[in-house]
Amino acid sequence: MSSYIIEGGRKLEGEIEVSGSKNASLPILAATILNKGNTKLYNVPNIHDTKITQEILKYLGCKIKKNSDKIEINTKKVTKKEIPEHLMRQMRSTVILAGAILGRFNEVTFSYPGGCDIGSRPIDLHLAAFKFQKPSFLNSFSKLGVNISEDSGFITCKCDKIIGTNIDLDFPSVGATENIILASVYADGTTKITNAAMEPEIVDLAKCLNKMGAKIEGAGTNVIKITGVKKLNDVSYSVMPDRIEAGTLLCAVAITGGNVKLKNVIPEHINQILAKLEQIGCEIEIEKRNIYLKAPKKLKAVDIKTMPYPGFPTDMQSVFGAMLTIAKGNSIIIENIFENRFRYVNELKRMGAKVSVEGKIAILKGVRRLSGTTVESTDLRGGAALVIAGLAAKGTTIVRKIEYILRGYEGLDKKLNKLGAKIVVKEE
């Protein structure tokens, strides 16, 4: 177990570059299974979750070479069709590999995934899309023609052939949308997803697969069409920058009253984040793939409501929550995606924050200053929120269980230190 020791009260200034996207890298790494050949990936962040995904790929039979910023993956000799339970339980995103293995072999076995405890994140939507269902007068959807069985916590999906069909998602789940795309690349016929997730990471996955030779249309809209193909080709692909890391770094600068030039970012991916930062008083300028932010002396209160993309991202809710603890006035946050996203609030209260939570609503009354103390990460984004709070707090803040943070941020302490923070890692 490790901790960050943060000396608060330092204004962050300078320029920093955003790493590749965690949430785009994971499904793209899974997609290499479908390639049956060689894939060169650039801009994959060196974080816990991408490492676990690569461990699973090696277990399946993939050959992986790393050279500076490039990962070369050969999936020609993949033969295993099951995801090992001990790796499956380390993060929820491992379920994305199921769609890729199913798409290649028409069979996959896996257990229920683990990950951060931020609320109910069932894989029912994934399984419902796979499941075989006979057409009827009331149901014109045959799904993907997969038979699903469960034994002692292990799920087996198996079929003779993936069959293209129409799938209407009850909720625009990012993971379910990605799994359907991966499972349908080699399908017989065309698969159409309605009420699909529209996140930029979906677009990045589709771009990578299309470069391999897949036929995917509509990514980035709520209707995606996948026309099955017979084969894919070798490819080189660079992963998009991480929009959540970009937002986190901007908030880190804002809470300290600093200014920054943020490089390697796609501004349109974070429109909602930038809009809220302007509302709290930050001056923002955009220049191609660079964002300049200058923070005010005192932040203003703002209300936030999380929604599926293109709404305000749930992954940024806790980070903004930390920032709004010292904003002038009262702020309201409504969390519409995950019911346990407010677990970090109790840790902020240890630092002097005034926050009350009722169900999916949090009310934050801004205080003049937070005080450094020992706090504990409860999940990935909640841990990042505590780091943000520690940057502005008086005295020293110790953030324990930073393993959660390392799951999704590449060198967060190093990047913040480059901007003028003082963060030391302590092994316990």
Side-chain angles (χ1 to χ4, degrees), residues 47-65:
I47 55 176
H48 174 272
D49 281 13
T50 59
K51 291 176 183 176
I52 292 297
T53 303
Q54 290 172 65
E55 285 301 310
I56 296 174
L57 291 176
K58 289 178 183 177
Y59 171 87
L60 295 173
C62 301
K63 301 297 182 183
I64 299 179
K65 297 179 182 178

Side-chain angles (χ1 to χ4, degrees), residues 300-312:
K300 302 175 186 176
V302 69
D303 294 340
I304 289 170
K305 179 170 65 174
T306 66
M307 296 290 287
Y309 190 87
F312 189 90

Side-chain angles (χ1 to χ4, degrees), residues 18 200 204 207 239-243 246 262-271 274 286 288-291 309:
V18 176
D204 215 36
K207 283 182 177 179
V239 175
M240 62 175 266
D242 196 308
R243 61 192 175 102
L262 195 64
K263 301 187 294 184
N264 186 38
V265 61
I266 302 177
E268 54 265 33
H269 286 177
I270 58 172
N271 281 336
L274 296 177
I286 297 172
K288 296 181 180 179
R289 290 172 71 102
N290 298 322
I291 294 176
Y309 190 87

Side-chain angles (χ1 to χ4, degrees), residues 104-164:
R104 176 164 173 176
F105 296 107
N106 297 329
E107 181 181 349
V108 64
T109 298
F110 57 97
S111 62
Y112 284 93
C116 291
D117 182 15
I118 56 174
S120 176
R121 297 194 287 180
I123 61 173
D124 297 0
L125 288 173
H126 305 241
L127 299 178
F130 294 161
K131 196 170 185 179
F132 177 80
Q133 190 171 344
K134 292 182 179 180
S136 67
F137 176 74
L138 294 176
N139 171 42
S140 61
F141 300 133
S142 63
K143 305 303 180 186
L144 294 176
V146 180
N147 291 299
I148 299 175
S149 60
E150 184 174 347
D151 182 27
S152 302
F154 288 87
I155 301 164
T156 297
C157 303
K158 193 173 184 179
C159 65
D160 293 328
K161 180 68 178 178
I162 300 291
I163 302 168

